[in-house]
Amino acid sequence: MSRYLIGRIGQAVIVLWAAFTVSFILLQALPGDAILIKFLNPELGLGPEQIADIRASYAVDTPIWTQYAHSLGNFLTGNFGYSVHAGVPVSHVLLANLPSTLRLATFGFLIAALLAVAISFLSTLIGFSWIRAVIQSLPALFISVPVFWLGIMLIQIFSFQLKLIPVINPGEWEALILPVAALALPISAPLAQVLMRNIDHVLTEPFVAVARAKGATRSWVLWRHVTRNALLPTLTIAGILFGELLAGAVVTEAVFGLNGIGSVTQQAVGNQDIAVLQAIVVFSATAFVIINLVVDLLYPVFDPRLRSKREASA
Amino acid sequence: MTTFDTTERTLLQPEGGFLGKVSAALPFRRQAEAKSWSHRLKGAQIGLVLAWFMIAIAILWAVFPELFTSHSGTVGVAGTQLRAPSAAHWLGTDALGRDVFARIIYGAVNSLSGAFVSVTVGLLFGTALGLIAGSVRGMIGDVIMRIVDVLLSIPNLLLSLTIIILLGFGTINAAIAVGITSVASFARLARSEVVRVRNSDYVEAAFGSGGTFGRVLLRHILPNSLTSVIALAALQFGSAILAISTLGFLGYGAPPPTPEWGLLIAEGRNYIARAWWLTAVPGFVVILVVLSANRISQSFGKVRT
Amino acid sequence: MTLAPDLAAPPARALDTPVLEIDNLVLAYKDDEAFHPVVHGVSFQVRPGEVVALVGESGSGKTTTAQAVIGLLAENGRLESGAIRLNGTDISTWSRRQLDAIRGSKISLIPQDPTSSLNPVKTIGDQVGEILKIHGRGDKKAIEARVIELLARVGLSRPELRARQYPHELSGGMRQRVLIAIAIALEPALIIADEPTSALDVTVQKRILDLIDDLRREFGTAVLLVTHDLGVAADRSNHLVVLQGGRIQEQGPTAQVLAAPRSPYTRKLLTDAPSLTKAQRPSKGKSTSAASDEYSIVVEDLVQDFSLGSGREKFRAVDGVSFKVRKGSTHAIVGESGSGKTTTARSVVAFQKPTSGRILVDGIDVTTLHGESLRQFRKKIQLVYQNPFGSLDPLQSVFQIIEEPLLNFGQIARKDRARKVHDILGRVGLPQSVLTRKPRALSGGQRQRVAIARALVLDPQVLVLDEAVSALDVTVQAQILNLLDELQQVLGLTYLFISHDLAVVRQISDTVSVLRNGRLVDSGTVEDVFLRPGSEYTRELIEAIPGTKTLSHA
């Protein structure tokens, strides 16, 4: 087990290092000294000492290799550089905005998961063929809807037409309802599609027929045999879903005018705030890698077949 | 002389062992539907025909926009601002008095060519990488797949934003950025398909009957692995339209007054209280085109991603 | 042998009500808009304690009939007319709820494929206990105790441990025992055994069938045995129902049907089933002397290691195997799964480099070949695969498939190639009309003929047949075996025949090597090996061939 764990963590570290390097090459190496010109902008109101500090933190006067090593060292110690736009350390910007995005993403994910489970199980259980056909075609529809458009439509319908949710000064939780809905709907689609495919597949497994032959009812078979086997493979798309959530947050926050990592990202792109963008890229790659690592390590807990395999290979 | 096999003619009956059939026999309705596939085919075919029809219309819009509308896509008419849909303006007008229907039609070329560019980028680079990784064993293949892993670890939107910062704003740059984000999925699919086909008996049999590597690759491996890749390309066409319109909405795509679909929605957003048609209609068009692309992708077979 | 008295005196049929009575059953599947009947008016009875075998090839309707009995007919299938009476009550009109109550308790199922018939994420104990739980037999503790009891009853060692284990930790035979434990848990009146041993090795098959026999006698349960294997049916049933194309061709007491079949189809099945024909093919036996003294294949001390995973651990698949095959003769390599027979075959056709040892094909040392010399060598020896569905490129036409090897070697004019393809197609007994078709438009037997044609188009001297007839129905199998026989006589081919089926091997080969766990345990002429087996294992294998009981009694 430990050998497997070490190998797997080593792999994750390599991917992270590569992600950092790619973002460094894309973002920092090319613009070079140009970004520093922005810091000299008097509007930022930075004193000469601070500018010297920033220059040192980027190691601008040294060759690119040294800059790279320096930058990597900084990232490892949690120093992500300065935001050009805000003139404060990037880590401050991120920390200030993380909680609201986390809240949005968490609720978005929960609703998406619920919706996906509801769609996939209802489409299996419901007997009326036309209702079933409608339910089954929902994911294909959801996946084709632009998130930003959906957000605008939700505002139009629920705030302007039905006047259910106030546009100005809604309550803290009230303000979350529409963004979460806009975020969750498209994300539920791939999840529901994977689930539906898995359920279909598991239903054709001979062990399901054996369970039926034991006298088990349809719902008994569905809950006790199909569910766990069908849910297991969906874990593999957890990492991809995280990426979708983050992208969804960027768009949702833009539409609803919320603060968070998404709006920070959007501003960073608009302001060419390289340091912020690189930090976000590396941060999300880290989250992606950690999620996949956790999923990999959790798999044997849910699937006994992997337990002995891993033990054997370790 | 041996006789032609007469006893092995199969009936119009689902074959397989008892359990294959029993499981199909489960009173879960979806199974039953899957069984009577030919019955379903008819309903499904109508959807497919409609999907091709929608894509054909969109392509015609892109190529001959003037055939579909007499209005301009960029120049507004004074005094006709924010008109609701009417006989003169089927889908109403925007804040500058421009016909919304005309803007959607003239916008098709931006969205479709953008999607086309990004699918081409992903298809060419991704498939090439996947083919190499799948057919050349050893170091090179491993290195390629690790690079693909890194690309996958960065969320698509972030990756495309990063590339856009590098390339600058604009429709084509946004398209290239979206294309690069799909390189990883094309590479993965192409590799897994090549590996699957490579391990098949018929490829071994082709080597066994004296086939050289190049011949077997061209005759068997490529044709058999490309079906899925093409299906992914169609699927990717839909997601590229979505991604490009998202970038347009965020303001990183085509600059105004270009009638790009995402930008249309962004512009209409300021008038949601007064002019619903400005946002609603372009959105429906995007959904229809994306749905159609996905449906067409499905008809190429199941994509395993 | 213990079975003999039972078979000789089946329960007095006229006295008691049948456990199961199928009366003029018509079953149909929906296709397009209409229902197409696939079972046309089938009637038979199963009496208490009796074994009725439902025998037929694929498409015969045997499985569909069995499904209807247990109420698990496909949703697009339906009962058109007729009755299914269980202990005198017609259950064909029952609701799902009513059927749920008798499934498992009155009728149970032993499925075909033990590897996928158990839920991989639940323990064995849970899955055996489930049937008791569904039917409300006792509290948790009582169920646990009963599970252990059942696992012990079906002959599993350390039942307490087994109950805690997961399916993947058990062998195929053990899993089938678990499934039998489930089937007998509530002592049902009728067990439907659907090809219960088709996926198992022959020695395991015998033990499983013996177990089912024992339990049946102990509980007095009736068994409806669905099988494609006439040998199994002959050994294990009192009453035989022969189905073809959804119609009963013939039924009656097993011994009677076997001794004096009335329908031509049954007669054909009986002559085609290798396990029920003791005679070798006429061309065999004699051909041993007719074959030249030259050896076409010589394998000396073949060793093949595979590395396990990334580690340095090695798995020895073949361990010091040697044999020689005379030109123009058939040599069989037999063994159960994991015996190394396929690995040996793949080394002979040079698809893998042996770890050590020598392989001479037509005097050429195969192990030294590489690159162009290996490619040229391919002309001499060809492999025919087990699965004709996987060995033909789905995108190619039959013409392209057969033509391809010719394109690989040299400049043959298009006209000559076409003629060669046409010739070879006639040789394997296929009409010219199939040339433009794709493999999916062909039947299994036709595909295997195409695969043989492709193998022969380069005029090789040696054909390696890797389970080449195992996936085919018995009558088709007989046709392909006839074809191979004929081709050997006309073209003087040497065959290396890989098979798990001793009955087929006995019929068609001149010499045999018996492998077990990678080692050679027996070899010699067919006559020597089958009549005077040199090892205990070979003897066990031969005794396990289904159909032998009947023959020894007949």
Side-chain angles (χ1 to χ4, degrees):
Chain A
M1 187 65 198
S2 58
R3 194 156 142 206
Y4 170 79
L5 190 69
I6 292 166
R8 193 63 193 72
I9 291 174
Q11 212 181 329
V13 169
I14 290 173
V15 170
L16 273 184
W17 164 77
F20 170 82
T21 308
V22 167
S23 69
F24 179 84
I25 293 169
L26 285 180
L27 294 170
Q28 287 205 338
L30 291 175
D33 209 37
I35 46 162
L36 289 164
I37 295 166
K38 294 190 180 192
F39 287 107
L40 299 173
N41 186 343
E43 278 175 35
L44 278 176
L46 297 176
E49 279 166 29
Q50 276 170 296
I51 288 172
D53 199 34
I54 290 167
R55 284 187 77 85
S57 83
Y58 279 96
V60 260
D61 302 322
T62 57
I64 185 89
W65 280 113
T66 325
Q67 280 187 39
Y68 173 73
H70 191 82
S71 182
L72 184 59
N74 278 347
F75 262 81
L76 288 177
T77 52
N79 177 1
F80 304 136
Y82 277 82
S83 159
V84 185
H85 183 61
V88 293
V90 173
S91 48
H92 290 196
V93 180
L94 292 188
L95 277 179
N97 286 286
L98 198 57
S100 57
T101 300
L102 268 184
R103 193 171 55 179
L104 177 67
T106 309
F107 283 112
F109 174 74
L110 286 179
I111 300 294
L114 279 177
L115 200 58
V117 169
I119 288 173
S120 48
F121 280 87
L122 280 180
S123 75
T124 310
L125 280 174
I126 282 183
F128 300 100
S129 65
W130 66 270
I131 298 182
R132 193 176 58 250
V134 168
I135 293 176
Q136 273 179 308
S137 56
L138 283 181
L141 179 65
F142 290 172
I143 218 167
S144 311
V145 175
V147 183
F148 59 93
W149 178 82
L150 181 65
I152 296 171
M153 285 297 113
L154 288 175
I155 295 175
Q156 191 154 45
I157 294 167
F158 291 99
S159 296
F160 288 103
Q161 306 293 328
L162 304 176
K163 303 200 189 316
L164 287 176
I165 293 160
V167 189
I168 299 151
N169 290 330
E172 195 188 347
W173 293 106
E174 244 176 348
L176 259 183
I177 296 174
L178 294 183
V180 164
L183 184 61
L185 215 59
I187 286 176
S188 70
L191 206 51
Q193 281 175 334
V194 170
L195 262 179
M196 276 160 66
R197 205 169 352 155
N198 291 347
I199 290 176
D200 266 1
H201 174 75
V202 176
L203 282 176
T204 63
E205 290 277 351
F207 68 78
V208 168
V210 168
R212 290 286 290 153
K214 288 174 184 172
T217 59
R218 286 173 18 161
S219 52
W220 177 291
V221 170
L222 195 62
W223 296 118
R224 285 169 207 250
H225 292 279
V226 178
T227 308
R228 186 154 156 208
N229 282 291
L231 283 175
L232 263 177
T234 50
L235 277 179
T236 50
I237 62 164
I240 293 162
L241 279 182
F242 164 79
E244 298 269 318
L245 274 173
L246 196 89
V250 172
V251 177
T252 321
E253 286 171 7
V255 171
F256 291 91
L258 302 171
N259 289 323
I261 300 288
S263 57
V264 168
T265 309
Q266 209 203 345
Q267 284 159 19
V269 176
N271 301 321
Q272 308 257 309
D273 202 339
I274 305 294
V276 172
L277 198 61
Q278 195 193 0
I280 291 174
V281 167
V282 174
F283 163 78
S284 52
T286 311
F288 177 89
V289 166
I290 289 175
I291 287 170
N292 279 337
L293 189 62
V294 169
V295 165
D296 270 16
L297 296 179
L298 273 183
Y299 243 103
V301 176
F302 299 112
D303 193 339
R305 279 166 297 185
L306 293 171
R307 274 174 230 164
S308 46
K309 230 183 248 172
R310 294 244 169 108
E311 276 153 23
S313 69
Chain B
M1 221 35 235
T2 42
T3 46
F4 179 50
D5 302 340
T6 46
T7 48
E8 55 188 275
R9 250 177 230 154
T10 46
L11 296 168
L12 286 171
Q13 175 190 339
E15 274 307 325
F18 185 94
L19 284 170
K21 290 181 188 173
V22 165
S23 43
L26 282 172
F28 290 96
R29 296 291 175 108
R30 185 136 31 102
Q31 294 291 316
E33 250 187 342
K35 276 290 169 198
S36 63
W37 56 273
S38 47
H39 174 66
R40 252 188 9 174
L41 205 62
K42 280 187 181 163
Q45 293 298 29
I46 293 168
L48 187 59
V49 169
L50 283 177
W52 276 110
F53 181 72
M54 183 67 222
I55 295 289
I57 294 265
I59 290 172
L60 285 177
W61 283 355
V63 183
F64 308 109
E66 64 281 355
L67 290 184
F68 294 88
T69 179
S70 53
H71 298 285
S72 162
T74 44
V75 183
V77 180
T80 59
Q81 286 92 337
L82 294 177
R83 292 277 169 85
S86 65
H89 300 283
W90 292 354
L91 299 176
T93 61
D94 69 4
L96 297 175
R98 293 174 295 196
D99 183 75
V100 173
F101 186 49
R103 278 181 69 70
I104 289 173
I105 288 168
Y106 280 95
V109 68
N110 290 305
S111 297
L112 293 193
S113 60
F116 185 76
V117 166
S118 73
V119 169
T120 310
V121 168
L123 186 70
L124 287 184
F125 290 97
T127 311
L129 285 178
L131 282 181
I132 295 168
S135 40
V136 185
R137 284 181 184 148
M139 269 288 282
I140 301 173
D142 283 351
V143 169
I144 290 177
M145 290 326 285
R146 287 297 86 76
I147 294 173
V148 166
D149 280 350
V150 173
L151 281 180
L152 278 176
S153 75
I154 304 171
N156 281 349
L157 185 68
L158 276 187
L159 188 59
S160 50
L161 290 181
T162 308
I163 296 161
I164 282 178
I165 284 207
L166 211 68
L167 299 177
F169 297 170
T171 315
I172 292 304
N173 288 349
I176 292 172
V178 169
I180 291 174
T181 61
S182 67
V183 165
S185 5
F186 275 108
R188 268 194 139 182
L189 178 70
R191 180 180 167 276
S192 73
E193 282 296 289
V194 167
V195 168
R196 178 183 66 85
V197 176
R198 252 196 101 129
N199 288 334
S200 67
D201 281 352
Y202 60 81
V203 164
E204 193 183 74
F207 282 119
S209 60
T212 54
F213 181 77
R215 278 189 176 163
V216 176
L217 188 73
L218 283 179
R219 231 180 255 153
H220 302 283
I221 299 181
L222 273 185
N224 280 291
S225 23
L226 282 184
T227 332
S228 300
V229 173
I230 288 168
L232 179 65
L235 193 69
Q236 201 57 44
F237 190 81
S239 8
I241 288 178
L242 271 185
I244 290 170
S245 72
T246 302
L247 292 174
F249 171 81
L250 292 174
Y252 310 135
T258 316
E260 196 271 329
W261 291 343
L263 194 60
L264 248 63
I265 297 171
E267 288 168 354
R269 187 185 164 199
N270 301 325
Y271 307 95
I272 40 178
R274 287 193 287 156
W276 58 268
W277 57 91
L278 290 185
T279 45
V281 180
F284 283 128
V285 173
V286 171
I287 292 175
L288 280 178
V289 173
V290 176
L291 262 181
S292 305
N294 292 353
R295 178 65 193 86
I296 289 166
S297 155
Q298 245 179 43
S299 70
F300 286 118
K302 290 241 149 56
V303 192
R304 291 164 290 253
T305 42
Chain C
M1 331 287 132
T2 44
L3 207 59
D6 220 11
L7 281 175
R13 288 182 68 90
L15 290 180
D16 32 22
T17 37
V19 177
L20 178 71
E21 188 179 9
I22 303 289
D23 192 4
N24 209 10
L25 189 68
V26 179
L27 301 169
Y29 281 116
K30 195 175 182 185
D31 179 52
D32 264 328
E33 304 296 296
F35 277 90
H36 299 281
V38 293
V39 171
H40 316 264
V42 163
S43 306
F44 62 89
Q45 298 181 343
V46 183
R47 311 243 159 207
E50 197 182 39
V51 180
V52 173
L54 217 50
V55 183
E57 300 184 287
S58 46
S60 63
K62 60 184 191 300
T63 292
T64 306
T65 307
Q67 280 175 348
V69 171
I70 199 165
L72 290 177
L73 202 59
E75 185 79 358
N76 67 326
R78 76 171 183 207
L79 188 140
E80 299 270 297
S81 65
I84 301 167
R85 278 188 279 274
L86 190 70
N87 288 325
T89 318
D90 187 1
I91 59 168
S92 62
T93 54
W94 277 19
S95 71
R96 199 148 58 202
R97 187 179 297 249
Q98 282 173 300
L99 285 173
D100 282 343
I102 59 157
R103 246 184 246 131
S105 61
K106 297 273 188 297
I107 310 178
S108 67
L109 171 74
I110 301 173
Q112 173 168 15
D113 179 10
T115 48
S116 53
S117 292
L118 289 167
N119 188 338
V121 301
K122 293 189 143 207
T123 62
I124 298 298
D126 273 356
Q127 299 190 56
V128 180
E130 186 180 17
I131 188 167
L132 303 166
K133 206 163 142 193
I134 290 169
H135 295 278
R137 301 296 167 90
D139 58 7
K140 201 163 171 260
K141 219 161 172 192
I143 286 177
E144 268 169 32
R146 175 83 177 123
V147 166
I148 305 293
E149 198 182 307
L150 281 166
L151 291 178
R153 181 62 199 86
V154 294
L156 283 169
S157 59
R158 308 176 65 193
E160 290 88 358
L161 171 70
R162 303 296 169 225
R164 286 195 307 274
Q165 283 181 312
Y166 288 94
H168 71 276
E169 296 172 277
L170 272 56
S171 71
M174 286 159 84
R175 286 184 229 188
Q176 195 59 294
R177 284 174 193 272
V178 172
L179 287 157
I180 291 171
I182 294 171
I184 60 159
L186 299 174
E187 299 181 14
L190 176 69
I191 294 177
I192 294 175
D194 170 51
E195 305 271 10
T197 54
S198 306
L200 301 173
D201 276 331
V202 59
T203 50
V204 184
Q205 159 169 333
K206 180 170 182 294
R207 275 177 240 136
I208 295 290
L209 289 172
D210 285 347
L211 173 68
I212 295 176
D213 264 340
D214 283 351
L215 295 167
R216 174 185 64 81
R217 234 170 293 123
E218 183 181 325
F219 298 120
T221 308
V223 175
L224 180 62
L225 178 67
V226 178
T227 183
H228 71 283
D229 190 333
L230 213 56
V232 169
D235 277 358
R236 309 286 173 171
S237 67
N238 313 106
H239 193 81
L240 203 58
V241 179
V242 181
L243 280 173
Q244 188 209 13
R247 288 188 172 85
I248 291 183
Q249 288 295 327
E250 175 159 5
Q251 67 171 312
T254 305
Q256 194 180 314
V257 172
L258 293 178
R262 275 169 288 124
S263 99
Y265 178 71
T266 315
R267 272 201 290 279
K268 183 167 169 49
L269 271 185
L270 284 172
T271 38
D272 287 348
S275 56
L276 296 177
T277 339
K278 216 167 187 186
Q280 265 198 320
R281 290 181 180 243
S283 65
K284 293 295 154 191
K286 275 174 277 168
S287 66
T288 324
S289 50
S292 68
D293 284 341
E294 273 178 81
Y295 288 109
S296 197
I297 306 172
V298 178
V299 172
E300 287 170 1
D301 215 16
L302 179 70
V303 174
Q304 184 82 54
D305 286 343
F306 291 113
S307 57
L308 288 173
S310 54
R312 250 159 278 144
E313 284 170 272
K314 289 266 163 66
F315 168 68
R316 183 150 289 191
V318 177
D319 192 1
V321 167
S322 307
F323 60 87
K324 291 176 179 179
V325 187
R326 276 177 210 278
K327 214 166 226 168
S329 74
T330 301
H331 182 78
I333 300 181
V334 288
E336 299 185 289
S337 47
S339 61
K341 56 186 191 300
T342 293
T343 311
T344 305
R346 294 175 55 81
S347 300
V348 171
V349 293
F351 276 145
Q352 64 204 11
K353 283 252 178 287
T355 310
S356 69
R358 222 157 64 112
I359 300 168
L360 298 177
V361 173
D362 203 30
I364 300 169
D365 189 346
V366 175
T367 55
T368 61
L369 298 176
H370 53 84
E372 186 57 23
S373 63
L374 177 61
R375 204 174 77 83
Q376 292 299 331
F377 166 74
R378 304 266 186 225
K379 279 194 271 190
K380 288 189 186 303
I381 187 165
Q382 286 290 307
L383 178 67
V384 177
Y385 293 81
Q386 166 170 15
N387 180 358
F389 293 77
S391 63
L392 306 178
D393 186 337
L395 297 180
Q396 285 186 315
S397 70
V398 169
F399 181 83
Q400 287 173 316
I401 291 170
I402 302 176
E403 182 197 28
E404 183 171 331
L406 295 173
L407 293 170
N408 290 332
F409 291 102
Q411 295 74 33
I412 306 169
R414 176 189 292 266
K415 229 162 74 191
D416 294 338
R417 282 201 310 265
R419 205 183 47 233
K420 182 98 195 170
V421 171
H422 284 124
D423 283 356
I424 214 85
L425 198 72
R427 199 124 267 161
V428 299
L430 284 174
Q432 304 292 323
S433 61
V434 301
L435 278 176
T436 51
R437 289 200 223 158
K438 296 276 167 72
R440 67 163 178 278
L442 304 178
S443 70
Q446 287 175 322
R447 285 182 221 213
Q448 202 58 310
R449 284 171 196 262
V450 172
I452 291 170
R454 172 178 60 188
L456 289 178
V457 78
L458 289 172
D459 300 320
Q461 288 138 20
V462 181
L463 224 52
V464 177
L465 302 143
D466 185 6
E467 300 274 12
V469 295
S470 305
L472 305 172
D473 271 333
V474 58
T475 50
V476 183
Q477 181 179 6
Q479 287 167 12
I480 298 287
L481 289 174
N482 280 335
L483 171 69
L484 289 172
D485 206 21
E486 187 188 294
L487 290 169
Q488 185 170 48
Q489 286 178 48
V490 176
L491 305 172
L493 293 167
T494 306
Y495 290 150
L496 184 59
F497 192 87
I498 315 297
S499 182
H500 71 283
D501 189 336
L502 273 88
V504 171
V505 165
R506 181 174 56 190
Q507 213 180 14
I508 65 138
S509 45
D510 302 300
T511 49
V512 190
S513 296
V514 181
L515 296 194
R516 185 191 196 184
N517 297 332
R519 288 170 196 271
L520 188 71
V521 295
D522 219 337
S523 67
T525 64
V526 165
E527 211 186 59
D528 277 347
V529 171
F530 277 81
L531 295 180
R532 294 172 289 279
S535 77
E536 193 46 46
Y537 178 67
T538 312
R539 205 185 321 274
E540 198 189 333
L541 275 183
I542 293 166
E543 274 171 14
I545 303 176
T548 41
K549 280 179 187 171
T550 327
L551 285 174
S552 53
H553 284 289

